[in-house]
Amino acid sequence: MNALAAGHGVNRVELGVVLFFFVIVTFGGFLAVRWRRGESMQSLDEWGLGGRGFGTFITYFLLGGDLYTAYTFVAVPAAMFATGAVGGFFAVPYTIVVYPIIFIFMPRLWSVSHRHGYVTPADFVRGRYDSRLLALAIAITGIIATMPYIALQLVGIQAVLDTMGIGGSGNTFVKDLPLIIAFAVLAAYTYSSGLRAPALIAFVKDGLIYLVIIVAIVYLAVKIGFGGIFDAAETKMKTKTKAGLPTGSFIPASSTYWAYGTLAFGSALALFMYPHSVTAVLSGRSRNVIRRNAAILPTYSLMLGLLALLGFAAIYEKTSVFGQDGKANAQLAVPHLFDQIFPDWFAGVAFAAIAIGALVPAAIMSIAAANLFTRNIYREFLKPDATPANEARVAKITSLVVKFGALLFVLGMDRQNAINLQLLGGVWILQTLLSIVAGLYTRWFHRWALLAGWAAAMVYGTVIAYRQTVPNATTTLVNGKPKVTVHGMRHFGTSLADFPGTNTKVYIAVTALLLNILIAVVLTVLLRVVKAPEGTDATEAADYYSDAPSKRVAVAAAEATAGVEGRPA
Amino acid sequence: MSSDPVQPPAPSHPSRPLPPGAMALAGVLLLIPLVALALVPTYAKDGPQLWGFPFFYWYQFLWVFLASGFTWAAYLVIARARRGGDR
C-alpha cells in the first residue's frame, strides 16, 4: 500500500501482475485467429463479425465486454465520488431499461441484416430507404461518436498507469510509452484476428472484473458496512460549496427527477445505436441469442451498480484523488481506492481488469468504425466494385488508422476534450435512432425528412451542449492542502440543459431527439403532399422476423456476386 | 429490380409473425420494468432502508433482478408461441 501523494515511485508488484495478464491476453488475441475458424478471413463477415456464428454464451461475454467499458468502470464511480446520484447512479436504471428495449427491436435488425448481408446499421438504412446520403449520415455519425469513445478507453488505462506510479514526470514520450505499446499490440492482433480477438479476450476481462468487484464489495460490507459508506456520502453531498450549493445529490431531489429519468432512458436508447453494440449483436447466431442475452446481461448492470458504490466507499475511506501531476482527478477515485484497500498483488489484478477492460471495447469499436467506413464510404462512394477480400483489407487498415487516431488524440490533447466529445457523441448517436428503429417497423418516414431531422438535431444538440458552461477549476495540493484555482469558464460542462420554455433540466440528447422526430414527421407529411420520390425499399415484411441458421457460405457467395452487379451506377 | 447492395440468400428457415396474444403478453412483460423505473418520484427517497442501503439504492438494485426476470419471461412466452420453431 502506497502513500498516495503525488510523485511516488513505480509499484513493481502491481506492474508485474498487470504485465502478466497483458501477456496472456496478447497471446489470446493472436491465437484467436484460429478460434472457430471460418472458410477464410477475407471478408467482413469473418473479420468484422466473427463469422456471424456466436452463440448465447460467447455473445454474453462479448457484449458485456463491449458495453461495460473500462471508461465506464472508471467514470461512473468517479461521478458518484464527485457529484453523487444524478451524475453517476443513473447508469443503473440506464443499464436495466436498455435490455427490455433492445429485446423488442434488435431481433428485427438482426433478421433483416442477416437476410441481406448487412454489416452496419447504415447498410440497413441504405437498403430500406434507398438513400446513399442518409446512409452516409448514419455512418459518419457512428464514426464520429465512436472515435472519442475509443480515446476514453485510453484515458481509463492512463488512470491505472498513473496509480501504479507510471507517467507522472519525465519527457512525454517515456511517460506515454506503456500506453503506446499496449495500443500497438492491441492494433496488431485486432488487425490479424478481427472480432474474434476481443471475443476471446472478453472472457479474461469479465472474469477478472467479476472477481475484483465481488472481493471489493465483500471487503467493504464486512470491514465498514454499507450504512457507514452511505452516511459518509450523504454528508459529503449535502455539504455546501463556496457558492452555497450542495456538493452533489445523494438522492435526486424533485428538481432533478427529469434529469435522472431522461439520462437513464436517453442513454439506454442511444447505447444500441453505437456501431460497436450493433457489431456485437450482428455477430450472434440467431434472434434468440439476442433475446436470451437481454435477459442475462443485467448481471453486468448489477456489477456496475456495485462498482458505482465504490465511489461512495472512496468518500468514506477519504481516498486521495491527486494524480502524479499533482492535480485532483475524480477518475482516480477507484484505482486509488483499490491501491489503498487491497494488498499490492490484488490491486494489480484489479488494475489488469481495468486495463484489459479498455482493450476489449477499443478493439470492437475500431472494428465497428472500420466496418462503417468500408461499407458505407469506401464501397459506396470510392470503389463500388470492391470484392469481399478488398473490403476485409480496407477494414483492417481502417481499424489501425482509427486506433492511432484515438491514441494521438489522447496524447496530443487535454483529457477534457475527449470527455467533451464523448458527451457529444451520446447526443449525436441518439439522432440516428429514428432512421434505424422507426425504419425497422415502418417505411412511413420520408428519407429526406429523416435526413433533415437528423441534421437539425445534430446542430441543435451540439450548440446546446457547447453553451453549458461551468467554472474551469483545477485543484492542486499546496503544502498538503487542496487549493482550487479557476481559469474562466469551460464549455460542455454538463449533458443536461433546460428543456425549452421550462426551468426543468433534461438530457440534451433527448430534447434533440424530440426535435428530430418533430421535423421528420412534419417534413414527411409535406414531402408526401408534393409527391417527392421515395426510393425503392429493398426489404420486405418477412425479412424482419426471419430466423435463418447461420449460412455463412450463402452470404459470402451472395456478396461475391452482389459486389459486381445489382447496384446502381 | 432492387437497388439493395447485397442480394439476400435463400430463406432457409422461414418464420412467421407471433400470434397477437403472445405478442401483447410479451409487450406487457417488457413494459413493466420500463414504467417502474421511469417513475423516478416513486423511488427517490431515503427510507425504508435495507442493510444500510437507502430505499433509492436498494430498490434500483432490486429492479436489476426483476427486470431480468420479466425479460426472461417475455423470452419464454415468445419461444413457446413459436413452439420451438425459432432457435
Side-chain angles (χ1 to χ4, degrees):
Chain A
M1 301 196 197
N2 289 296
L4 283 164
H8 69 78
V10 174
N11 186 319
R12 288 168 195 278
V13 177
E14 290 173 355
L15 182 62
V17 175
V18 170
L19 282 177
F20 169 76
F21 282 106
F22 185 75
V23 169
I24 289 184
V25 158
T26 302
F27 274 108
F30 283 110
L31 291 177
V33 71
R34 300 163 176 275
W35 182 46
R36 303 170 59 91
R37 191 169 197 156
E39 303 287 310
S40 134
M41 280 295 269
Q42 300 304 311
S43 78
L44 277 193
D45 279 297
E46 287 299 328
W47 183 83
L49 290 178
R52 295 190 191 247
F54 292 150
T56 304
F57 186 69
I58 297 170
T59 303
Y60 171 78
F61 284 99
L62 182 64
L63 266 172
D66 188 17
L67 305 179
Y68 300 81
T69 70
Y71 179 68
T72 317
F73 286 153
V74 169
V76 168
M80 293 287 280
F81 175 84
T83 59
V86 175
F89 209 70
F90 84 86
V92 172
Y94 153 29
T95 53
I96 294 173
V97 300
V98 67
Y99 296 112
I101 293 172
I102 66 147
F103 185 101
I104 298 168
F105 73 79
M106 270 318 215
R108 291 177 80 88
L109 182 62
W110 183 92
S111 289
V112 71
S113 301
H114 198 264
R115 281 290 291 269
H116 291 266
Y118 299 149
V119 175
T120 69
D123 279 349
F124 161 66
V125 167
R126 169 82 173 80
R128 178 64 149 168
Y129 292 102
D130 191 15
S131 169
R132 301 169 78 185
L133 217 51
L134 186 58
L136 180 67
I138 304 296
I140 289 179
T141 313
I143 293 170
I144 61 174
T146 304
M147 293 283 292
Y149 218 159
I150 301 174
L152 281 187
Q153 303 311 317
L154 291 164
V155 171
I157 299 181
Q158 271 178 333
V160 167
L161 291 176
D162 192 90
T163 307
M164 290 192 297
I166 300 167
S169 48
N171 74 53
T172 325
F173 185 70
V174 174
K175 177 182 113 184
D176 293 319
L177 196 59
L179 198 61
I180 295 170
I181 293 171
F183 235 49
V185 172
L186 170 73
Y189 59 67
T190 309
Y191 182 91
S192 69
S193 305
L195 193 63
R196 286 178 170 83
L200 196 61
I201 295 170
F203 287 104
V204 181
K205 176 226 158 186
D206 295 335
L208 288 178
I209 292 265
Y210 273 116
L211 175 72
V212 170
I213 306 285
I214 291 166
V215 169
I217 288 298
V218 168
Y219 171 89
L220 295 173
V222 173
K223 190 91 182 291
I224 310 166
F226 289 107
I229 293 173
F230 282 111
D231 287 344
E234 186 170 12
T235 308
K236 171 173 177 178
M237 294 309 155
K238 289 190 173 159
T239 304
K240 296 273 200 295
T241 60
K242 274 186 190 149
L245 298 167
T247 304
S249 60
F250 179 61
I251 290 170
S254 58
S255 58
T256 55
Y257 290 165
W258 279 102
Y260 192 79
T262 53
L263 275 172
F265 279 79
S267 309
L269 288 171
L271 183 60
F272 275 80
M273 298 297 110
Y274 274 106
H276 61 279
S277 318
V278 174
T279 297
V281 166
L282 294 188
S283 69
R285 187 196 303 143
S286 73
R287 289 163 68 93
N288 276 353
V289 166
I290 305 168
R291 293 213 169 105
R292 285 193 208 109
N293 266 293
I296 57 180
L297 277 166
T299 45
Y300 285 96
S301 309
L302 177 68
M303 204 169 53
L304 181 61
L306 294 172
L307 201 87
L309 294 185
L310 294 185
F312 281 178
I315 296 174
Y316 178 91
E317 295 278 2
K318 298 190 170 53
T319 301
S320 154
V321 291
F322 290 95
Q324 297 277 319
D325 58 3
K327 292 179 188 159
N329 172 10
Q331 298 192 347
L332 296 172
V334 157
H336 280 190
L337 179 73
F338 287 156
D339 194 45
Q340 196 177 346
I341 65 175
F342 290 146
D344 285 349
W345 70 271
F346 196 72
V349 174
F351 297 156
I354 295 176
I356 297 168
L359 301 179
V360 173
I364 304 174
M365 286 167 189
S366 67
I367 290 169
N371 288 347
L372 278 169
F373 175 80
T374 306
R375 273 301 179 100
N376 307 111
I377 296 175
Y378 172 73
R379 200 180 82 172
E380 187 69 49
F381 293 98
L382 303 177
K383 192 170 164 55
D385 57 350
T387 62
N390 283 147
E391 287 185 7
R393 194 170 45 83
V394 170
K396 285 169 135 184
I397 294 166
T398 310
S399 83
L400 293 182
V401 174
V402 163
K403 274 198 281 285
F404 282 99
L407 187 63
L408 288 179
F409 191 89
V410 167
L411 298 184
M413 291 169 87
D414 186 59
R415 183 180 57 232
Q416 191 61 45
N417 286 317
I419 295 172
N420 293 345
L421 278 173
Q422 200 260 345
L423 181 160
L424 272 177
V427 174
W428 291 336
I429 201 71
L430 190 57
Q431 309 318 320
T432 63
L433 178 99
L434 194 60
S435 299
I436 297 169
V437 176
L440 290 171
Y441 290 88
T442 171
R443 188 61 163 57
W444 183 81
F445 285 101
H446 195 283
R447 49 189 180 165
W448 300 343
L450 287 169
L451 192 61
W454 167 84
M458 291 287 282
V459 173
Y460 173 85
T462 307
V463 169
I464 298 293
Y466 177 79
R467 282 196 197 149
Q468 306 309 309
T469 51
V470 291
N472 188 16
T474 314
T475 309
T476 45
L477 269 184
V478 177
N479 300 327
K481 290 220 169 102
K483 179 170 181 296
V484 182
T485 39
V486 176
H487 309 278
M489 305 290 277
R490 64 174 178 85
H491 295 280
F492 305 108
T494 161
S495 46
L496 300 169
D498 286 341
F499 191 78
T502 70
N503 291 324
T504 307
K505 297 264 186 224
V506 301
Y507 183 25
I508 295 165
V510 173
T511 318
L513 179 64
L514 293 177
L515 177 74
N516 187 342
I517 295 171
L518 183 73
I519 290 174
V521 168
V522 171
L523 284 184
T524 296
V525 172
L526 290 178
L527 288 166
R528 275 289 141 65
V529 173
V530 301
K531 297 201 163 46
E534 307 228 16
T536 317
D537 184 354
T539 68
E540 53 183 89
D543 294 344
Y544 293 88
Y545 43 84
S546 78
D547 198 1
S550 190
K551 287 273 177 198
R552 69 169 72 105
V553 181
V555 173
E559 264 182 350
T561 51
V564 191
E565 55 203 44
R567 37 184 314 111
Chain B
M1 275 306 286
S2 105
S3 59
D4 197 22
V6 174
Q7 297 302 313
S12 46
H13 199 293
S15 192
R16 58 205 134 69
L18 283 172
M23 192 118 87
L25 180 57
V28 169
L29 287 168
L30 295 169
L31 207 59
I32 292 170
L34 302 186
V35 172
L37 286 161
L39 300 174
V40 180
T42 61
Y43 58 87
K45 52 192 176 193
D46 193 42
Q49 297 200 347
L50 182 70
W51 301 318
F53 280 63
F55 182 77
F56 177 75
Y57 292 94
W58 69 256
Y59 181 78
Q60 291 181 80
F61 274 115
L62 179 67
W63 270 105
V64 173
F65 298 98
L66 294 179
S68 177
F70 280 112
T71 310
W72 189 256
Y75 162 72
L76 290 180
V77 166
I78 288 174
R80 209 152 287 171
R82 288 256 159 84
R83 285 167 185 266
D86 175 335
R87 58 178 61 246

